[in-house]
Structures are given as C-alpha cells and as structure tokens.
Amino acid sequence: MDAQVLGGALQGISCEKDVLIEILTQRCNSQRLMIAEAYRDMYGRDLITDLKENLSHHFKEVMVGLMYPPASYDAHELWHALKGVDTEEKCLIDILASRSNMEIFQMKEAYLMQYNTDLQQDIDSETSGHFRDTLMNLAQGTRMEGYADPSTATQDAMILWEACQQKTGEHKNMLQMILCNRSHQQLWMVFQEFQNISGQDIVDAINECYDGYFQELLVAIVLCIRDKPSYFAYRLYNAIHDFGFHNKTVIRILIARSEIDLMNIRQRYKERYGKSLFHDIKHFASGHYESALLAICAGDTEDY
C-alpha cells in the first residue's frame, strides 16, 4: 500500500511532497527497504532514482538518505567526504569516532560493494599525518570489547599524560593507539586515573596540547566513549548555530541516529542548551525540508 501511494505521489502531475514525508519518515529503515522492493515490483522502477529525479536540494538529500540501510548510508557519507571537492574531515570524525566494531565492519563491506574500492585505502590517500593514522586505526574496527583491567589503567593514563607533555610523533602514536584500541570500560578507568595523575580532564589536556583535526578526532573519541548522545547533541548545536546551519551535518546525524539514540540526543540537547532540537531546526530550516527534519526529530511536541 505504501509503495502504491508513493508511486501516485511521485508520478502524478506534481510531486506530492507531504505524502513522501508522511510515509518515509514514519517507517523504520527495514520497512522502507521493503517498500522500495514492493515499489520495484509494482512499477519496474527504482524508488531512490525516482526520488532523485523528482526532488531537489536538501529535501532530496533527506528523502534519499532515509532509503539507505545504515551501513550503506555511512559508506555513502564517507565516500562523499573523501572524494568530494574538499575532504570533509568532520564527517570522517563523526562516523569513525562513534561506530562500534560491527558497524565499522558492515560499513567497510558496504563501501567496497558500492564503490568498488577499499575504505582504508581511500582514507590513506585522502588524509595525512597523525589524523590519517588515527582514522586508519579506527577503521580497522579492532577495539577490544567488554575487557577491563584496572592494573593497566594507571599505566595507560601515565602514557597519555606523557603524550600530552612530550608531543613527539612516537607519543602521538601511543596516544591514538590507546584511545582507538582499548575497550570503553577500560578507557573509563584510564580517564579517571588521568585526572588523578594530572589534576586535569583528558579533554582539556588534549585541547591544550594538540590542534587541528587530529585534536578534534581525539576529543571526539573521548566524548563518544563517555556519552555518545551528548557528543551528537554538541555536534548538532554547532552545526545549527556556529556554521549558519550546516545542512549536511544536521541531515547526517538525524538520519544515522534516528533509530539508535536520537531520543537521548534530543534530551541532552535540551538539557545542555536550554532550547529543544525541534525548536532550533524550526527556527533555521523552512518548507518541506523543515517538515522532513522535524518529522524525523519527532516526539514530545508539548515541550517545543
């Protein structure tokens, strides 16, 4: 039924955008994939192709983005971040600093299938320095999971402290090795030991000692380990307020997190910044694009 309604909305005299929003934002990803399959059977056409042909600008990006499986969407975003006119380092940071081993494995498989090239090779060729090395480490997807050893937490914290003091290439390598490979449980203890040793929070120390995208990536890893929804709330706030509404970032985070932790992100956003995510999107976006973003954002309209 959804496929039939979408067909009517897309193939009529004028595209009925409200109908597209009503259906595609209110179905989960697995349902949208089934709708796309039914659409192909019914019309002999690809739904994504028809969306691209009938829509434009940021509204098209939202509607098409919703149609990708999560791993394929990550792969799509990484490809464009790496192969666009300018490398979009912040996109690489958002995705690779926040995904689990399994998500990274699935993303690499999708990347290879969609673009017939290896993600790590593209990172290697399109980025540089310690930023590249850290991305490459994350893209291996080999972080230890569920393992914590209090006896080595102090040792790791000492290594991090020395890395922040010495700042040599070798120390930078040790820093990123620990942040990229230790389990989240282990790193919680390491961060606490770092505070005990240095009297300073690890994020403050990184911000003082390093700069550029390497520093941003290290901070993102720490923040994602501590509280992923808070990290994405912070990224959304910056994208909305600091960049005059950075559309790509807002779209990517809303779509990628919509079935994972968007409700928690919304909660952190309101707690930290005083106004709801819904309010800020409504203030800066407009038209069907605004309606689509708000429909994904969803929920708790009485608070807005």
Side-chain angles (χ1 to χ4, degrees), residues 236-242 244-246 250 269 277 280-281 284:
L236 282 167
Y237 186 84
N238 284 357
I240 292 170
H241 293 275
D242 291 357
F245 207 87
H246 194 268
V250 175
Y269 192 101
L277 178 58
D280 282 356
I281 289 172
F284 285 96

Side-chain angles (χ1 to χ4, degrees), residues 26-141:
Q26 301 308 304
R27 307 293 184 266
C28 68
N29 188 260
S30 59
Q31 289 172 327
R32 288 192 292 268
L33 297 179
M34 288 192 287
I35 292 166
E37 191 175 337
Y39 188 94
R40 191 178 297 108
D41 293 342
M42 197 174 290
Y43 298 105
R45 294 176 60 84
D46 180 63
L47 179 53
I48 288 181
T49 301
D50 283 358
L51 289 169
K52 287 178 177 177
E53 288 178 359
N54 283 276
L55 307 177
S56 61
H57 305 303
H58 301 307
F59 180 59
K60 176 174 76 173
E61 290 177 42
V62 177
M63 292 293 103
V64 171
L66 288 168
M67 296 308 303
Y68 286 100
S72 295
Y73 185 65
D74 277 348
H76 171 269
E77 293 297 291
L78 289 170
W79 166 264
H80 286 280
L82 287 163
K83 297 298 185 178
V85 177
D86 295 311
T87 303
E88 293 180 44
E89 287 87 357
K90 288 180 186 293
C91 173
L92 304 178
I93 291 169
D94 281 351
I95 293 175
L96 289 169
S98 65
R99 302 311 194 249
S100 68
N101 287 349
M102 180 55 71
E103 286 168 333
I104 288 170
F105 172 77
Q106 292 170 342
M107 170 204 311
K108 288 195 292 186
E109 292 278 294
Y111 194 95
L112 182 61
M113 187 176 294
Q114 286 163 221
Y115 303 109
N116 198 32
T117 183
D118 181 74
L119 173 61
Q120 286 168 277
Q121 284 180 3
D122 284 351
I123 291 170
D124 189 41
S125 63
E126 301 295 337
T127 60
S128 62
H130 291 285
F131 177 64
R132 176 194 60 205
D133 297 342
T134 310
L135 289 175
M136 293 283 282
N137 201 326
L138 291 168
Q140 290 176 18

Side-chain angles (χ1 to χ4, degrees), residues 170-209:
E170 184 181 348
H171 283 94
K172 287 179 182 177
N173 289 337
M174 291 301 296
L175 176 64
Q176 60 102 351
M177 283 291 291
I178 290 173
L179 292 181
C180 294
N181 292 288
R182 301 291 191 268
S183 71
H184 286 201
Q185 296 91 328
Q186 177 77 5
L187 285 171
W188 268 94
M189 292 188 291
V190 172
F191 298 157
Q192 186 57 56
E193 286 299 314
F194 185 95
Q195 177 92 37
N196 295 339
I197 292 165
S198 67
Q200 191 176 28
D201 184 78
I202 181 72
V203 171
D204 294 333
I206 291 170
N207 284 332
E208 276 185 21
C209 298

Side-chain angles (χ1 to χ4, degrees), residues 4-40:
Q4 190 172 358
V5 173
L6 288 172
L10 285 166
Q11 295 173 30
I13 296 170
S14 62
C15 180
E16 298 173 48
K17 298 182 177 70
D18 291 329
V19 173
L20 303 183
I21 294 169
E22 186 179 336
I23 292 177
L24 295 181
T25 66
Q26 301 308 304
R27 307 293 184 266
C28 68
N29 188 260
S30 59
Q31 289 172 327
R32 288 192 292 268
L33 297 179
M34 288 192 287
I35 292 166
E37 191 175 337
Y39 188 94
R40 191 178 297 108

